Amino acid sequence: QILPYAEMPQSIDPAQGYLASANQQPIDPRVDSRYLGASWPTPWRAIRINELLRADSAVTPDAMRRFQTDPVSAAAERFMPALLAAGKKHGDDPAVHRATALLGEWDLRYTLENTRSVLFEMTMRQLSRLLWDELDSLAVPENTITAALLADSSNIWWDDHRTVAVEDRDVLLARALSEGLAATIRNFGEPDGGGWRWEKIRHASIYHLQLQAVVAGENI
């Protein structure tokens, strides 16, 4: 059911004292399942924005500047406890033990000099590949779906159908740690070799609008 225009998301003088948006889905479908579009960006940025705003009731211009450049990942806050717990549970595997120890050094911040965020990214990439094996070449769900599955350790989706064994959540998370470490070393070298610095791995080029037009061959 499509929402009538008059029932579109709105808020006047909200109880929390602010409104925040990062283009996330504006209504929780568990609260209201009526159709309000699709392909919303993942909610992690919005979750972090709300965390920051709730923690500071007297938001100053300086605080807003800090918020704009805040490097903490809400997704990492959600997944890291489960990854580390699974890694410790299956730490008899040397690769899992090493990956868990390295990832345990991360402060969940994507700063330029950080050398552990790449391991988390690679681990999550491997987790998605292992978890959604049944979907083969189809588009896999966003990691918000994976986050919801964390609460159900024996859900059938955790089983990797390409193996004889029946895997549960912690087995698959531990395997993702091991394979994530292997992929990180394969692509960027050993942990302390300098290749894991986030500034060398993820880049952003933000051009002035006029320069963008020039690059695109336009005339403004």
Side-chain angles (χ1 to χ4, degrees):
Q1 181 182 358
I2 299 176
L3 262 65
Y5 181 79
E7 297 180 32
M8 289 292 180
Q10 55 187 288
S11 182
I12 299 174
D13 193 19
Q16 71 268 25
Y18 65 85
L19 290 173
S21 173
N23 299 320
Q24 78 278 6
Q25 188 170 356
I27 296 179
D28 188 337
R30 293 171 299 182
V31 175
D32 192 331
S33 62
R34 290 179 294 178
Y35 182 74
L36 192 65
S39 300
W40 300 100
T42 55
W44 304 116
R45 285 181 62 246
I47 291 171
R48 181 58 183 164
I49 289 169
N50 277 272
E51 286 177 351
L52 292 168
L53 290 173
R54 289 192 190 107
D56 188 350
S57 60
V59 179
T60 64
D62 284 340
M64 288 300 294
R65 291 188 188 98
R66 291 196 305 272
F67 295 171
Q68 290 293 328
T69 57
D70 177 76
V72 175
S73 165
E77 290 180 327
R78 181 69 178 90
F79 283 100
M80 278 287 289
L83 283 169
L84 294 180
K88 292 175 181 177
K89 182 177 180 180
H90 295 278
D92 53 330
D93 182 315
V96 174
H97 178 79
R98 188 185 185 200
T100 304
L102 289 168
L103 201 56
E105 298 169 355
W106 188 33
D107 59 2
L108 311 190
R109 296 165 63 86
Y110 284 82
T111 51
L112 295 177
E113 70 280 1
N114 191 278
T115 60
R116 295 296 180 261
S117 51
V118 61
L119 177 56
F120 174 74
E121 291 290 323
M122 284 293 189
T123 297
M124 291 301 297
R125 186 177 301 179
Q126 295 304 316
L127 177 59
S128 181
R129 181 184 63 81
L130 293 167
L131 176 59
W132 305 116
D133 58 295
E134 295 91 340
L135 301 183
D136 196 18
S137 59
L138 300 176
V140 299
E142 297 282 358
N143 59 10
T144 48
I145 304 300
T146 308
L149 281 176
L150 290 176
D152 186 356
S153 62
S154 59
N155 190 288
I156 191 172
W157 283 104
W158 291 114
D159 180 35
D160 186 345
H161 288 193
R162 294 165 294 193
T163 69
V164 175
V166 177
E167 292 85 1
D168 61 13
R169 176 195 62 200
D170 290 346
V171 169
L172 215 65
L173 291 176
R175 187 177 299 169
L177 282 165
S178 175
E179 296 189 13
L181 175 61
T184 306
I185 292 174
R186 185 167 58 249
N187 285 278
F188 306 108
E190 289 294 327
D192 299 319
W196 285 29
R197 285 177 66 94
W198 190 244
E199 64 183 344
K200 294 184 177 182
I201 296 164
R202 184 64 60 86
H203 307 279
S205 298
I206 303 174
Y207 298 106
H208 187 281
L209 288 176
Q210 188 170 2
L211 180 56
Q212 289 185 38
V214 171
V215 171
E218 299 175 359
N219 183 15
I220 60 173

